[in-house]
Amino acid sequence: MSVGQRKAAALLQRLLLLFIAAHLIVVFTGDPPYPSWLGLAAAVGVFGLSFALGADARREAKASQPSAVEIEPPVTGRWSALNSPADKVPSHGTRSCGQAYAIDIVAEPADGPGRPAFAWLWPLARGNRAFPAFGAPLLAVADATVVHAEDGQRDHLSRNSLAGILYLIVVEGFGRSLGGARRIVGNHVILDIGEGTYAVYAHVKQGSLTVRAGDRVTVGQELGRCGNSGNSTEPHVHFQLMDGPDLDTARGVPFSWRGVGVPRNRETFTVREETTPVP
């Protein structure tokens, strides 16, 4: 598929999801003034488009294996990796939204309270400040130009309980899919780091961005803070590289962080903050 075809397919998929949501409301409140099988046809269309887009992405991935782009880490301190491309590709189970080589990292400070464990029954949700990643600085991985920046979406409570995850998948995830990629990734920043490569920081804290589209940033510059917006179970950094600035059409690009590489799932790593020598 061309970029234009992928964009059109993503838009059609979103429209079909909107129709399904409206159809369910009509069905539960009365008899639809149209054939009821149209709801099933829309669902088949959504799955068909998902399959077609996924198959196209897999074909492209087999045809061209991009080289890893070496960049600086987006954080400092002690962290551990989740959903890492070092263990499987696509790392998040999908190539949509340029996520083929995406990684999630959570803060694991050596001192102080750690992140709360997964709760099977209780508590159903926790406040974001219970997680050490919340509010951690997000740093530019290279000298770059900001091509997109938004931080108006709210930081919701955690979803790291059984009930929370079910709610995220069944209710919240579907609702965000209706809003498109920007609602799924939440508040986010996209940087043009050059040579056709773009860096994405997702789930950014509401109101924390220090940059706007068009700004030039230097490596290590603070862009904003880690948050819990969008489709997120807890405050964490979701980072990825893509071959374009549009989340609906871009393909994932592999990365390697200098001094770290690509940490595997549950691997802990430390990035030390550079200090300027005193003359």
Side-chain angles (χ1 to χ4, degrees), residues 6-266:
R6 293 202 298 268
K7 187 72 174 178
L11 177 59
L12 177 58
Q13 191 175 46
R14 197 177 308 160
L15 291 173
L16 289 174
L17 284 171
L18 285 169
F19 174 77
I20 291 171
H23 173 72
L24 291 174
I25 294 173
V26 171
V27 167
F28 282 114
T29 56
D31 293 326
Y34 52 81
S36 58
W37 56 262
L38 286 177
L40 177 60
V44 171
V46 169
F47 284 110
L49 286 169
S50 296
F51 179 81
L53 288 167
D56 181 64
R58 289 190 293 272
R59 281 194 299 269
E60 283 195 12
K62 289 181 179 179
S64 62
Q65 293 292 332
S67 300
V69 177
E70 189 178 46
I71 49 177
E72 295 296 328
V75 294
T76 58
R78 189 171 183 267
W79 298 74
S80 64
L82 303 172
N83 301 316
S84 171
D87 292 273
K88 68 171 184 176
V89 176
S91 57
H92 286 58
T94 178
R95 296 180 185 273
S96 66
C97 300
Q99 295 183 88
Y101 302 94
I103 191 169
D104 293 330
I105 57 174
V106 291
E108 301 280 8
D111 301 320
R115 54 188 274 261
F118 179 82
W120 286 101
L121 296 176
W122 192 263
L124 299 179
R126 291 183 172 91
N128 290 313
R129 298 194 182 280
F131 297 84
F134 189 68
L138 304 175
L139 310 177
V141 295
D143 295 340
T145 300
V146 180
V147 296
H148 184 84
E150 64 172 279
D151 63 356
Q153 300 181 50
R154 69 182 179 88
D155 294 291
H156 54 73
L157 296 176
S158 74
R159 307 286 187 252
N160 69 329
S161 66
L162 180 60
I165 285 181
L166 290 174
Y167 172 74
L168 175 67
I169 294 173
V170 178
V171 179
E172 200 169 30
F174 178 77
R176 287 207 170 90
S177 295
L178 299 178
R182 61 178 294 271
R183 290 296 182 183
I184 294 172
V185 301
N187 299 321
H188 62 287
V189 185
I190 302 177
L191 303 181
D192 179 354
I193 64 174
E195 299 184 0
T197 305
Y198 297 79
V200 181
Y201 304 69
H203 312 310
V204 175
K205 182 181 177 183
Q206 184 180 34
S208 71
L209 289 182
T210 60
V211 296
R212 290 294 180 261
D215 289 354
R216 284 288 301 169
V217 298
T218 57
V219 62
Q221 179 178 334
E222 183 176 321
L223 307 173
R225 299 274 170 162
C226 173
N228 195 34
S229 55
N231 265 20
S232 173
T233 56
E234 67 178 88
H236 72 282
V237 178
H238 173 107
F239 178 85
Q240 65 190 53
L241 294 184
M242 312 187 301
D243 65 359
D246 188 340
L247 288 164
D248 282 330
T249 60
R251 299 301 194 208
V253 173
F255 69 89
S256 178
W257 289 330
R258 291 188 183 95
V260 176
V262 184
R264 304 187 71 88
N265 284 344
R266 306 196 180 282

